[in-house]
Amino acid sequence: LYALIFRTEKWLPFVPTYYMKQIIEGCIARTQRDNKLTICHYVWMGNHVHMHVIPEHADQAVAFYSELQKKITDSIKSLLGIRKLYLWEGRPVVAKIASVADAIEQI
């Protein structure tokens, strides 16, 4: 089990609307289909996400968040009709969760 945490650039929140939820969940579904892993839990905050995933291999978690970020960015660029968008801040966190108790505590 791995924790994935990544956030948008400062002051770029995901507005909590029905349409944004549809964009995010559609991107998650398409990415999960392409990068096989199990999503156990996730919470989207205003400008970041906390996600617990079980990949077959550790590098699949990195491929998953990279592709998810790309799909979300492309969707928002298309929605806004712009060519460039720097949406994500720094490097995401991919951390192994050592025990069930640790996973429950994080949730």
Side-chain angles (χ1 to χ4, degrees):
L1 181 66
Y2 289 84
L4 303 180
I5 304 166
F6 48 93
R7 66 182 61 247
T8 63
E9 288 284 340
K10 190 174 183 181
W11 311 115
L12 289 174
F14 287 111
V15 180
T17 65
Y18 172 80
Y19 298 106
M20 185 56 71
K21 182 177 187 249
Q22 295 303 310
I23 289 170
I24 290 170
E25 289 182 351
C27 291
I28 289 172
R30 287 192 313 275
T31 304
Q32 193 275 339
R33 178 191 64 211
D34 296 340
N35 295 292
K36 303 295 185 222
L37 50 74
T38 302
I39 300 170
C40 301
H41 175 77
Y42 68 91
V43 176
W44 280 90
M45 308 301 280
N47 67 344
H48 67 285
V49 64
H50 296 267
M51 189 175 283
H52 289 174
V53 299
I54 301 173
E56 288 182 22
H57 306 286
D59 59 334
Q60 286 175 306
V62 174
F64 176 81
Y65 79 67
S66 297
E67 187 63 26
L68 180 57
Q69 286 180 333
K70 181 180 182 328
K71 283 184 180 357
I72 291 172
T73 301
D74 289 347
S75 295
I76 293 173
K77 286 186 334 189
S78 178
L79 180 69
L80 298 175
I82 58 177
R83 296 186 66 164
K84 288 187 180 184
L85 177 63
Y86 299 102
L87 187 59
W88 305 105
E89 176 182 275
R91 291 179 27 167
V93 173
V94 178
K96 188 169 185 172
I97 299 175
S99 68
V100 172
D102 291 339
I104 291 170
E105 182 179 322
Q106 287 185 18
I107 292 171

